[in-house]
Amino acid sequence: MGSALSSLLGSSGSPSEDSPSSSESSRVSTFHSAPTWQLHFNSVKETPTLMVIDFSASWCGPCKFMEPFLKEMAAKFTEVEFVKLDVDELPDVAQEFGVQAMPTFVLVKQGKEVDRVVGAQKNELEKKVEKNKG
């Protein structure tokens, strides 16, 4: 499903295409293949942990604008899991979550969407993470 596209596009910054990568010392994980993402998502579904999924694209200006803020939030909210997915690498996952614009932040708990923020809205995202983290 999106893995053929991922292998064609390659993966930047990760040791291997099938392993999640974290840039620098950031707590934001990045997935480059649909099977690896699905395994991770299924394992997190069993826990009460809030997961914030950042659907972005390498060519998206507002996505780049939000990246440092996402890393700050990941450092601040250590009980929350932050994940970044590129819609061009994983189009099936983006479609599954109904993503129509970038960036879109989907907040998920136990496999179910509890909230979302569309666009580069720092304050709105922080409020919704604060509200749903506990």
Side-chain angles (χ1 to χ4, degrees):
M1 289 202 292
S3 59
L5 182 59
S6 298
S7 60
L8 286 174
L9 294 172
S11 57
S12 57
S14 77
S16 102
E17 179 197 297
D18 286 335
S19 63
S21 65
S22 294
S23 48
E24 299 107 47
S25 60
S26 166
R27 292 189 62 254
V28 181
S29 302
T30 306
F31 291 87
H32 300 283
S33 82
T36 306
W37 159 250
Q38 203 57 59
L39 281 171
H40 181 74
F41 185 69
N42 288 342
S43 71
V44 175
K45 274 202 294 203
E46 307 303 315
T47 72
T49 303
L50 176 65
M51 179 190 295
V52 177
I53 309 168
D54 171 12
F55 287 95
S56 62
S58 58
W59 46 263
C60 165
C63 300
K64 290 185 190 319
F65 170 76
M66 289 295 286
E67 201 167 323
F69 181 69
L70 196 68
K71 289 177 181 175
E72 283 174 30
M73 285 193 37
K76 178 179 178 180
F77 298 107
T78 55
E79 70 277 40
V80 176
E81 179 167 359
F82 289 84
V83 174
K84 182 175 178 168
L85 300 179
D86 187 312
V87 297
D88 292 326
E89 289 182 356
L90 300 174
D92 295 342
V93 179
Q95 187 175 3
E96 184 184 326
F97 280 92
V99 173
Q100 297 178 339
M102 274 79 62
T104 293
F105 301 92
V106 179
L107 285 69
V108 176
K109 241 184 190 173
Q110 294 182 315
K112 294 181 177 49
E113 181 177 331
V114 292
D115 225 326
R116 82 168 41 204
V117 175
V118 178
Q121 302 182 57
K122 291 179 177 182
N123 294 343
E124 188 70 17
L125 180 59
E126 188 163 14
K127 268 192 264 183
K128 289 188 176 186
V129 169
E130 186 74 55
K131 178 181 116 184
N132 290 291
K133 70 181 169 113

